[in-house]
Amino acid sequence: MKQYNAQIDSLATLCQHNGQRWNSISPVYAARMQLQNRFNTGLDIAKYTAKIMREDMAAYDADSSQYTQSLGCWHGFTAQQMMMAIKRHQKTTKRSYVYLSGWMVAALRSEFGPLPDQSMHEKTSVPALIEEIYTFLKQADARELDHLYKALDAAQQSGADTSAIEAQIDNFETHVVPIIADIDAGFGNEEATYLLAKKMIEAGACAIQIENQVSDAKQCGHQAGKVTVPHEDFLAKINAVRYAFLELGVEDGIIVARTDSLGASLTQKIPVSKEPGDLASQYINFLDAQPISGADDLEDNEMAIKLNGQLCKPVRLDNGLYQFRAGTEKDRVVLDCVTSLQHGADLLWIETEKPNVQQIAELVNRVREQVPNAKLVYNNSPSFNWTLKFREQVYAQWQAEGRDLSTYPDPTNDAKVLMDASLDSSELAVAADELVRNFQRDGAREAGIFHHLITLPTYHTAALSTDILAEGYFGDLGMLAYVRDVQRQEIRREQASVKHQDLAGSNIGDTHKEYFSGENALKAGGEANTMNQF
């Protein structure tokens, strides 16, 4: 990025070249406006953030402690507040991303109203949200730089040294970070996937996550009834996404291939095998099929298939779907992962039924036998009962070690007894919480998890904070519920949101009015603005 004073010099030359017609244009003001908007298009963002992700992936390969993280955001404002908080508390945005969840788009952003995670929402709402998020992140840049420009003006007017402020401007770290965007199962065939991927990339997405479910039967990864597609179908969609990246000039775009096979027991179609041992053959061999001696063992309208030299009748449900053999789940996951990585995917996503580092590591290590640098994006999902699952894990471990568990309720018949609040300060609960606290570090080190994300956190935080405020405000606390639990906390945490006019762009608007109108500018700020109370 061009340095502040160099930018001014360049624009001064441009203004001089345009003569008297541009006498009212200030090179200083123009330079400030250029610097507050580093990215003119979504493609500029996609190219910039793809490079960041590639560098982060290489850093993780060299040192697993350099894993990355994100939170799922359903609105540009939540993404903006997350990144502003990260920058304020961590002093950098490095290794911090935004996740865009299809679940939250369906639940919160569809014109149909709240929907389940079944790809029923408008697919255009996904690129629209990507664009919205980056609009808010760029506005965070503009606001912070506006404050620096005002500090610089004040220092210049007082005759103070301005070098430190100019260094802050020159070394400004943008709030614009990579988005990993959920394209579900592609919203149709491979052409539909390509068209939507293009829109997402044009909006700024450098990383697209796609799953191997059937598009029109798509289910949330933590629900039952998931139906997978043959590998050839999934690879066609991976190709579609890669072609979209290449067409738009994002040569290092990232594809995250998600497999739902661990929880999926059904397939919609049987692929055609062209030679022994090919992908179709391997997929077919996972089918649940009953050996038969001949056509006489078939009823009318039933069908048979030859598997490993034996005529068999595949198990077909009343809805026409075929069933996989029980116990093949892990083998199908490994084949899905290896095949995806060997055919263009960059990162993996394995949807599991519980957050267990050993279980994840078992699968990733098997993948790494064939693809040594395999890396995982892992969903630290709110669909897991984290408290219960980790207390169960510690209880089982202590039981195996022969420890005395007589002071704890026996979870044999009802595991939820371990959730009792009376256990919160117990040794077992403390040990479980420590495992949760270290889950990301342990997963990055032992299970190949490059990126940890929580898919739906801001859905839950919005619900929880609103419930707490509503309980008090409409109850006995009245206005104190807001003052004590919201505004006072904002002030003491030094959150930008307490000055909501400034955060929404009022001061930036005043600055621009001065640029455009000079002393004639009608500004919203000044002594009468109640924002000065903070």
Side-chain angles (χ1 to χ4, degrees), residues 273-302:
S273 174
K274 296 180 179 178
E275 57 184 60
D278 63 10
L279 283 174
S281 174
Q282 294 178 69
Y283 192 79
I284 293 168
N285 280 329
F286 289 127
L287 290 175
D288 188 359
Q290 303 167 350
I292 59 175
S293 57
D296 290 342
D297 291 338
L298 295 173
E299 301 290 337
D300 283 349
N301 301 313
E302 287 188 328

Side-chain angles (χ1 to χ4, degrees), residues 70-107:
S70 68
L71 295 175
C73 297
W74 59 275
H75 193 280
F77 183 70
T78 58
Q80 180 198 66
Q81 291 306 292
M82 179 186 76
M83 291 314 305
M84 288 175 66
I86 290 168
K87 190 173 180 182
R88 187 169 82 254
H89 297 300
Q90 305 301 323
K91 310 306 179 188
T92 182
T93 62
K94 293 185 185 304
R95 301 199 302 278
S96 301
Y97 304 166
V98 174
Y99 180 66
L100 188 154
S101 162
W103 192 102
M104 285 206 289
V105 172

Side-chain angles (χ1 to χ4, degrees), residues 216-360:
D216 60 359
K218 183 258 190 299
Q219 297 276 24
C220 172
H222 294 275
Q223 293 180 321
K226 293 185 289 294
V227 185
T228 62
V229 298
H231 294 92
E232 295 87 348
D233 293 18
F234 188 52
L235 296 180
K237 292 188 175 182
I238 288 178
N239 286 340
V241 175
R242 180 62 67 203
Y243 275 112
F245 273 125
L246 292 174
E247 178 181 339
L248 296 172
V250 187
E251 296 179 1
D252 49 1
I254 290 92
I255 299 174
V256 183
R258 169 176 148 180
T259 173
D260 281 292
S261 289
L262 201 62
S265 59
L266 303 169
T267 186
Q268 193 175 53
K269 68 180 184 181
I270 299 175
V272 176
S273 174
K274 296 180 179 178
E275 57 184 60
D278 63 10
L279 283 174
S281 174
Q282 294 178 69
Y283 192 79
I284 293 168
N285 280 329
F286 289 127
L287 290 175
D288 188 359
Q290 303 167 350
I292 59 175
S293 57
D296 290 342
D297 291 338
L298 295 173
E299 301 290 337
D300 283 349
N301 301 313
E302 287 188 328
M303 59 185 64
I305 188 169
K306 194 172 185 180
L307 293 175
N308 300 315
Q310 171 70 57
L311 195 63
C312 299
K313 181 174 69 174
V315 174
R316 188 168 58 158
L317 307 184
D318 290 343
N319 55 18
L321 298 173
Y322 296 93
Q323 185 170 290
F324 290 116
R325 290 195 318 276
T328 64
E329 296 82 7
K330 291 180 180 179
D331 290 337
R332 285 187 280 124
V333 165
V334 172
L335 182 60
D336 292 344
C337 291
V338 170
T339 300
S340 297
L341 290 175
Q342 290 178 340
H343 292 81
D346 302 289
L347 295 169
L348 300 172
W349 174 312
I350 299 174
E351 201 62 85
T352 65
E353 84 285 357
K354 59 185 176 183
N356 185 290
V357 170
Q358 286 69 40
Q359 180 197 35
I360 303 164

Side-chain angles (χ1 to χ4, degrees), residues 2 42 55 63 77 97 123 143 171 179 219 222 246 254 299 313 333 337 339 361 365 390 412 425 440 481 487:
K2 187 177 288 186
E55 291 171 350
D63 178 2
F77 183 70
Y97 304 166
K123 58 185 178 182
R143 173 192 167 275
N171 298 303
I179 283 181
Q219 297 276 24
H222 294 275
L246 292 174
I254 290 92
E299 301 290 337
K313 181 174 69 174
V333 165
C337 291
T339 300
N365 288 337
F390 278 87
T412 302
S425 59
Q440 294 184 328
Q487 189 178 78

